[in-house]
Amino acid sequence: MDRMFWQSIADNDYAVPTGYSLAVLTSELLIQLGSIERAFREELVYPILDAWISRGYYASNDLSNMAMQLSHNLTKGLGEQGTDTVLLRSYSLLTLTSIIYEDGRQRWLEKSLVKQLLGGALAHLALEKDLRGYDNEKGWLHTIAHSADYLFAFALHPLIEAHDLERIMDAVAAKISEPVAHVYLYSEEERLTRTVIGVLQRDILPLAFFVEWLQQLIHPQGRTALNADFESGELMKIVRSETETCARHNTKQLLCSLYFQLLAPGFAQLSFVHESPSLAPQLLPHVQATLNEILVWC
Protein backbone atom coordinates (compact mmCIF):
# COMPACT_ATOMS: atom_id res chain seq x y z
CA MET A 1 0.00 0.00 0.00
CA ASP A 2 1.56 3.24 -1.14
CA ARG A 3 1.21 6.74 0.21
CA MET A 4 -1.63 7.57 -2.20
CA PHE A 5 -3.69 4.78 -0.65
CA TRP A 6 -3.29 6.24 2.83
CA GLN A 7 -3.91 9.74 1.51
CA SER A 8 -7.22 8.56 0.07
CA ILE A 9 -8.25 7.39 3.56
CA ALA A 10 -7.45 10.80 5.03
CA ASP A 11 -9.29 12.52 2.18
CA ASN A 12 -12.34 10.33 2.84
CA ASP A 13 -12.65 11.49 6.45
CA TYR A 14 -10.60 8.52 7.70
CA ALA A 15 -13.22 5.95 6.77
CA VAL A 16 -11.93 2.37 6.53
CA PRO A 17 -11.97 1.58 2.79
CA THR A 18 -14.40 -1.04 1.60
CA GLY A 19 -12.87 -4.46 1.15
CA TYR A 20 -9.96 -3.89 3.51
CA SER A 21 -9.43 -5.38 6.95
CA LEU A 22 -9.06 -2.89 9.79
CA ALA A 23 -6.64 -5.27 11.52
CA VAL A 24 -4.40 -5.59 8.47
CA LEU A 25 -4.36 -1.84 7.86
CA THR A 26 -3.61 -1.17 11.50
CA SER A 27 -0.67 -3.59 11.49
CA GLU A 28 0.84 -1.73 8.55
CA LEU A 29 0.30 1.66 10.18
CA LEU A 30 1.94 0.54 13.42
CA ILE A 31 5.04 -0.45 11.45
CA GLN A 32 5.08 2.88 9.62
CA LEU A 33 5.00 4.92 12.84
CA GLY A 34 8.81 4.89 12.63
CA SER A 35 8.95 6.00 9.00
CA ILE A 36 11.73 8.46 8.22
CA GLU A 37 9.43 10.20 5.73
CA ARG A 38 8.21 13.08 7.84
CA ALA A 39 5.05 14.04 5.96
CA PHE A 40 3.91 10.43 5.72
CA ARG A 41 4.49 9.84 9.44
CA GLU A 42 3.16 13.17 10.72
CA GLU A 43 0.28 13.80 8.32
CA LEU A 44 -1.02 10.32 7.56
CA VAL A 45 0.19 7.43 9.73
CA TYR A 46 -0.39 8.90 13.17
CA PRO A 47 -3.52 10.94 12.26
CA ILE A 48 -5.22 7.87 10.78
CA LEU A 49 -4.53 5.78 13.89
CA ASP A 50 -5.64 8.64 16.13
CA ALA A 51 -8.91 9.02 14.22
CA TRP A 52 -9.67 5.30 14.34
CA ILE A 53 -8.95 5.15 18.07
CA SER A 54 -11.03 8.22 18.93
CA ARG A 55 -13.96 6.98 16.83
CA GLY A 56 -14.08 3.67 18.67
CA TYR A 57 -13.29 1.46 15.67
CA TYR A 58 -11.34 -1.01 17.81
CA ALA A 59 -12.60 -3.64 20.24
CA SER A 60 -11.18 -3.63 23.77
CA ASN A 61 -8.96 -6.63 23.07
CA ASP A 62 -7.60 -4.98 19.92
CA LEU A 63 -6.69 -1.85 21.86
CA SER A 64 -5.04 -3.87 24.61
CA ASN A 65 -2.87 -5.70 22.10
CA MET A 66 -2.07 -2.49 20.27
CA ALA A 67 -1.11 -0.75 23.52
CA MET A 68 1.21 -3.61 24.47
CA GLN A 69 2.94 -3.50 21.08
CA LEU A 70 3.32 0.27 21.25
CA SER A 71 4.64 0.12 24.80
CA HIS A 72 7.24 -2.42 23.67
CA ASN A 73 8.23 0.00 20.91
CA LEU A 74 9.34 2.44 23.61
CA THR A 75 12.23 0.12 24.44
CA LYS A 76 13.56 -0.13 20.88
CA GLY A 77 16.80 1.81 20.65
CA LEU A 78 16.19 3.33 24.07
CA GLY A 79 19.36 5.01 25.27
CA GLU A 80 20.59 5.80 21.77
CA GLN A 81 21.23 9.37 20.66
CA GLY A 82 21.04 10.74 17.13
CA THR A 83 19.58 7.62 15.52
CA ASP A 84 16.30 7.09 13.66
CA THR A 85 14.97 4.70 16.31
CA VAL A 86 13.69 7.80 18.10
CA LEU A 87 10.95 8.14 15.48
CA LEU A 88 9.27 4.85 16.40
CA ARG A 89 9.47 5.65 20.11
CA SER A 90 8.16 9.17 19.66
CA TYR A 91 5.17 8.34 17.49
CA SER A 92 4.36 5.25 19.53
CA LEU A 93 4.10 7.65 22.48
CA LEU A 94 1.63 9.82 20.58
CA THR A 95 -0.52 6.83 19.65
CA LEU A 96 -0.43 5.51 23.21
CA THR A 97 -1.56 8.94 24.38
CA SER A 98 -4.60 8.67 22.13
CA ILE A 99 -5.43 5.26 23.62
CA ILE A 100 -5.03 6.31 27.26
CA TYR A 101 -6.88 9.60 26.77
CA GLU A 102 -9.85 7.85 25.17
CA ASP A 103 -9.72 5.01 27.70
CA GLY A 104 -10.10 7.57 30.47
CA ARG A 105 -13.52 8.32 29.03
CA GLN A 106 -14.57 4.94 27.65
CA ARG A 107 -12.81 2.51 30.04
CA TRP A 108 -11.81 -0.12 27.50
CA LEU A 109 -8.64 -1.35 29.22
CA GLU A 110 -8.19 -3.43 32.36
CA LYS A 111 -6.87 -1.56 35.39
CA SER A 112 -3.82 -3.83 35.58
CA LEU A 113 -2.90 -2.97 31.98
CA VAL A 114 -3.31 0.77 32.58
CA LYS A 115 -0.93 0.51 35.54
CA GLN A 116 1.49 -1.61 33.49
CA LEU A 117 1.49 0.96 30.70
CA LEU A 118 2.15 3.73 33.21
CA GLY A 119 5.17 1.81 34.47
CA GLY A 120 6.47 1.56 30.92
CA ALA A 121 5.92 5.28 30.36
CA LEU A 122 7.88 6.20 33.49
CA ALA A 123 10.71 3.81 32.64
CA HIS A 124 10.93 5.23 29.14
CA LEU A 125 11.08 8.85 30.30
CA ALA A 126 13.87 8.08 32.75
CA LEU A 127 16.00 6.30 30.14
CA GLU A 128 15.29 8.38 27.02
CA LYS A 129 18.53 10.04 25.89
CA ASP A 130 17.53 11.41 22.49
CA LEU A 131 16.34 14.85 23.54
CA ARG A 132 16.12 16.42 20.08
CA GLY A 133 12.98 18.40 19.39
CA TYR A 134 12.93 19.13 15.68
CA ASP A 135 15.07 18.10 12.73
CA ASN A 136 14.96 19.98 9.42
CA GLU A 137 14.95 16.73 7.46
CA LYS A 138 13.02 14.34 9.67
CA GLY A 139 10.58 16.76 11.24
CA TRP A 140 9.33 16.45 14.81
CA LEU A 141 11.21 14.00 17.00
CA HIS A 142 10.10 15.49 20.33
CA THR A 143 10.19 12.41 22.56
CA ILE A 144 10.19 14.43 25.77
CA ALA A 145 7.16 16.48 24.74
CA HIS A 146 5.36 13.33 23.60
CA SER A 147 6.28 11.59 26.87
CA ALA A 148 4.78 14.55 28.71
CA ASP A 149 1.58 14.24 26.65
CA TYR A 150 1.40 10.54 27.53
CA LEU A 151 1.84 11.22 31.25
CA PHE A 152 -0.74 14.01 31.06
CA ALA A 153 -3.26 11.47 29.73
CA PHE A 154 -2.41 9.19 32.65
CA ALA A 155 -2.73 12.06 35.14
CA LEU A 156 -6.33 12.58 34.02
CA HIS A 157 -7.22 8.88 33.94
CA PRO A 158 -9.68 7.90 36.70
CA LEU A 159 -7.84 4.63 37.44
CA ILE A 160 -4.65 6.48 38.30
CA GLU A 161 -4.38 6.84 42.08
CA ALA A 162 -2.46 9.06 44.50
CA HIS A 163 0.73 7.01 44.55
CA ASP A 164 0.67 6.87 40.74
CA LEU A 165 0.38 10.64 40.57
CA GLU A 166 3.33 10.96 42.93
CA ARG A 167 5.39 8.75 40.62
CA ILE A 168 4.43 10.93 37.66
CA MET A 169 5.46 14.08 39.48
CA ASP A 170 8.76 12.53 40.58
CA ALA A 171 9.48 11.45 36.99
CA VAL A 172 8.87 14.99 35.71
CA ALA A 173 11.18 16.45 38.36
CA ALA A 174 13.92 13.94 37.61
CA LYS A 175 13.79 14.53 33.86
CA ILE A 176 13.65 18.31 33.82
CA SER A 177 16.46 18.64 36.38
CA GLU A 178 18.59 15.93 34.75
CA PRO A 179 22.19 17.04 34.11
CA VAL A 180 22.40 16.92 30.31
CA ALA A 181 24.26 18.91 27.66
CA HIS A 182 20.97 19.95 26.12
CA VAL A 183 18.64 22.92 26.53
CA TYR A 184 14.99 22.33 25.64
CA LEU A 185 13.98 24.70 22.85
CA TYR A 186 10.65 23.37 21.57
CA SER A 187 8.23 23.97 24.45
CA GLU A 188 9.08 20.70 26.20
CA GLU A 189 8.86 22.49 29.53
CA GLU A 190 5.32 23.66 28.72
CA ARG A 191 4.23 20.13 27.89
CA LEU A 192 5.77 18.84 31.14
CA THR A 193 4.06 21.67 33.00
CA ARG A 194 0.75 20.59 31.52
CA THR A 195 1.36 17.18 33.11
CA VAL A 196 1.86 18.86 36.48
CA ILE A 197 -1.34 20.86 35.99
CA GLY A 198 -3.16 17.62 35.14
CA VAL A 199 -2.00 16.10 38.42
CA LEU A 200 -3.09 19.23 40.29
CA GLN A 201 -6.51 19.13 38.69
CA ARG A 202 -7.13 15.64 40.06
CA ASP A 203 -7.26 17.34 43.49
CA ILE A 204 -5.91 14.23 45.22
CA LEU A 205 -2.41 15.13 46.41
CA PRO A 206 -2.05 17.65 49.26
CA LEU A 207 -0.34 21.02 49.01
CA ALA A 208 2.52 19.73 51.17
CA PHE A 209 3.47 17.23 48.49
CA PHE A 210 3.79 19.93 45.82
CA VAL A 211 5.79 22.21 48.13
CA GLU A 212 8.24 19.38 48.79
CA TRP A 213 8.30 18.57 45.07
CA LEU A 214 9.34 22.13 44.26
CA GLN A 215 12.31 21.79 46.58
CA GLN A 216 13.18 18.47 44.97
CA LEU A 217 13.41 20.32 41.66
CA ILE A 218 16.11 22.76 42.76
CA HIS A 219 17.83 20.53 45.31
CA PRO A 220 18.27 17.24 43.41
CA GLN A 221 19.30 14.48 45.76
CA GLY A 222 23.04 13.82 45.72
CA ARG A 223 23.85 16.75 43.41
CA THR A 224 24.79 20.41 43.60
CA ALA A 225 21.72 22.55 44.25
CA LEU A 226 20.35 24.23 41.15
CA ASN A 227 19.88 27.52 42.97
CA ALA A 228 22.90 29.79 43.31
CA ASP A 229 24.61 31.34 46.32
CA PHE A 230 27.25 33.96 45.54
CA GLU A 231 28.77 33.90 49.02
CA SER A 232 29.36 30.14 49.07
CA GLY A 233 30.71 30.13 45.54
CA GLU A 234 27.90 27.78 44.49
CA LEU A 235 27.27 29.79 41.32
CA MET A 236 30.79 29.16 40.03
CA LYS A 237 30.39 25.42 40.56
CA ILE A 238 27.31 25.49 38.37
CA VAL A 239 28.85 27.69 35.69
CA ARG A 240 31.80 25.33 35.33
CA SER A 241 29.51 22.37 34.65
CA GLU A 242 27.76 22.47 31.27
CA THR A 243 25.36 19.70 32.18
CA GLU A 244 24.35 21.30 35.48
CA THR A 245 23.95 24.67 33.75
CA CYS A 246 21.56 23.09 31.25
CA ALA A 247 19.69 21.35 34.07
CA ARG A 248 19.32 24.64 35.88
CA HIS A 249 18.09 26.41 32.74
CA ASN A 250 15.56 23.68 31.96
CA THR A 251 14.31 23.68 35.55
CA LYS A 252 13.98 27.43 35.59
CA GLN A 253 11.96 27.33 32.35
CA LEU A 254 9.58 24.74 33.78
CA LEU A 255 9.08 26.82 36.93
CA CYS A 256 8.34 29.91 34.85
CA SER A 257 5.85 27.94 32.78
CA LEU A 258 4.23 26.54 35.92
CA TYR A 259 3.97 30.00 37.46
CA PHE A 260 2.12 31.43 34.47
CA GLN A 261 -0.05 28.33 34.04
CA LEU A 262 -1.23 28.74 37.62
CA LEU A 263 -1.64 32.47 37.21
CA ALA A 264 -3.48 32.27 33.90
CA PRO A 265 -4.74 28.81 32.85
CA GLY A 266 -4.16 28.12 29.17
CA PHE A 267 -1.04 30.30 29.12
CA ALA A 268 1.00 27.65 27.35
CA GLN A 269 0.20 26.74 23.79
CA LEU A 270 -1.38 23.29 23.53
CA SER A 271 -2.11 23.30 27.27
CA PHE A 272 -5.73 22.13 26.96
CA VAL A 273 -6.14 23.44 30.50
CA HIS A 274 -9.14 25.72 30.85
CA GLU A 275 -9.70 25.93 34.58
CA SER A 276 -7.30 26.78 37.35
CA PRO A 277 -6.64 23.90 39.79
CA SER A 278 -8.18 24.45 43.23
CA LEU A 279 -4.71 24.47 44.79
CA ALA A 280 -3.47 27.21 42.45
CA PRO A 281 -3.88 30.15 44.88
CA GLN A 282 -2.03 28.29 47.66
CA LEU A 283 0.67 26.86 45.39
CA LEU A 284 1.42 30.01 43.40
CA PRO A 285 3.45 31.80 46.12
CA HIS A 286 5.51 28.66 46.68
CA VAL A 287 6.33 28.50 42.96
CA GLN A 288 7.28 32.17 43.05
CA ALA A 289 9.51 31.61 46.08
CA THR A 290 11.20 28.70 44.34
CA LEU A 291 11.80 30.84 41.28
CA ASN A 292 13.36 33.48 43.52
CA GLU A 293 15.84 30.86 44.68
CA ILE A 294 17.09 30.43 41.13
CA LEU A 295 19.21 33.43 40.26
CA VAL A 296 18.25 34.92 36.91
CA TRP A 297 21.34 35.43 34.77
CA CYS A 298 22.31 35.24 31.11
Side-chain angles (χ1 to χ4, degrees):
M1 287 167 273
D2 59 16
R3 178 171 174 171
M4 292 301 296
F5 172 80
W6 300 109
Q7 185 65 58
S8 68
I9 292 177
D11 293 343
N12 195 33
D13 193 29
Y14 300 106
V16 178
T18 303
Y20 286 88
S21 161
L22 177 64
V24 172
L25 295 178
T26 299
S27 294
E28 178 65 21
L29 287 169
L30 292 176
I31 294 171
Q32 295 298 337
L33 278 172
S35 171
I36 60 172
E37 187 182 344
R38 57 185 291 186
F40 180 45
R41 183 184 68 251
E42 295 175 4
E43 299 171 15
L44 292 175
V45 178
Y46 165 67
I48 291 172
L49 284 169
D50 179 59
W52 289 352
I53 292 166
S54 65
R55 294 180 185 186
Y57 287 4
Y58 298 104
S60 297
N61 188 57
D62 296 329
L63 282 171
S64 296
N65 293 334
M66 190 189 307
M68 289 297 293
Q69 179 179 340
L70 290 165
S71 188
H72 178 67
N73 287 351
L74 302 185
T75 68
K76 294 184 177 180
L78 188 60
E80 297 177 0
Q81 298 182 58
T83 67
D84 290 340
T85 60
V86 68
L87 297 171
L88 181 62
R89 295 194 302 277
S90 186
Y91 285 81
S92 293
L93 283 164
L94 276 182
T95 310
L96 281 164
T97 300
S98 299
I99 292 174
I100 292 299
Y101 179 76
E102 291 299 330
D103 186 66
R105 301 191 300 171
Q106 306 293 339
R107 305 291 288 275
W108 296 313
L109 306 179
E110 295 290 335
K111 181 176 180 178
S112 59
L113 178 56
V114 173
K115 296 298 186 80
Q116 182 179 345
L117 294 172
L118 173 60
L122 296 173
H124 164 265
L125 182 61
L127 297 174
E128 181 60 68
K129 300 303 179 186
D130 198 323
L131 308 181
R132 293 173 293 168
Y134 184 80
D135 181 272
N136 287 332
E137 271 187 35
K138 292 163 187 171
W140 289 106
L141 310 176
H142 233 193
T143 51
I144 302 307
H146 293 170
S147 291
D149 295 346
Y150 192 26
L151 292 179
F152 174 70
F154 278 113
L156 300 182
H157 198 291
L159 293 180
I160 296 302
E161 300 163 301
H163 68 280
D164 301 313
L165 296 175
E166 290 178 355
R167 293 172 67 202
I168 290 172
M169 291 291 293
D170 289 342
V172 170
K175 199 64 183 181
I176 202 67
S177 64
E178 183 180 25
V180 290
H182 181 89
V183 171
Y184 292 118
L185 299 175
Y186 296 97
S187 301
E188 290 90 347
E189 79 284 352
E190 291 185 8
R191 305 278 271 273
L192 287 165
T193 297
R194 183 180 67 161
T195 301
V196 174
I197 295 295
V199 172
L200 278 163
Q201 289 195 310
R202 289 293 303 280
D203 202 22
I204 294 176
L205 301 181
L207 176 64
F209 172 85
F210 293 100
V211 173
E212 183 178 346
W213 180 82
L214 288 169
Q215 287 303 301
Q216 177 187 342
L217 272 178
I218 61 171
H219 297 281
Q221 188 174 7
R223 287 176 34 222
T224 301
L226 296 183
N227 60 328
D229 183 342
F230 276 119
E231 294 183 1
S232 70
E234 196 76 13
L235 177 60
M236 293 312 297
K237 291 181 185 177
I238 295 172
V239 170
R240 291 192 188 110
S241 168
E242 179 184 359
T243 57
E244 289 291 352
T245 300
C246 290
R248 183 168 167 274
H249 173 86
N250 292 335
T251 301
K252 183 170 60 176
Q253 291 302 105
L254 181 135
L255 285 168
C256 287
S257 179
L258 179 57
Y259 177 81
F260 285 107
Q261 286 264 19
L262 293 172
L263 192 65
F267 163 77
Q269 187 181 18
L270 301 176
S271 70
F272 302 122
V273 174
H274 304 294
E275 296 181 4
S276 181
S278 61
L279 281 179
Q282 299 101 302
L283 184 58
L284 192 59
H286 292 283
V287 175
Q288 184 173 8
T290 307
L291 269 171
N292 289 339
E293 289 191 58
I294 295 187
L295 182 65
V296 178
W297 51 274
C298 299

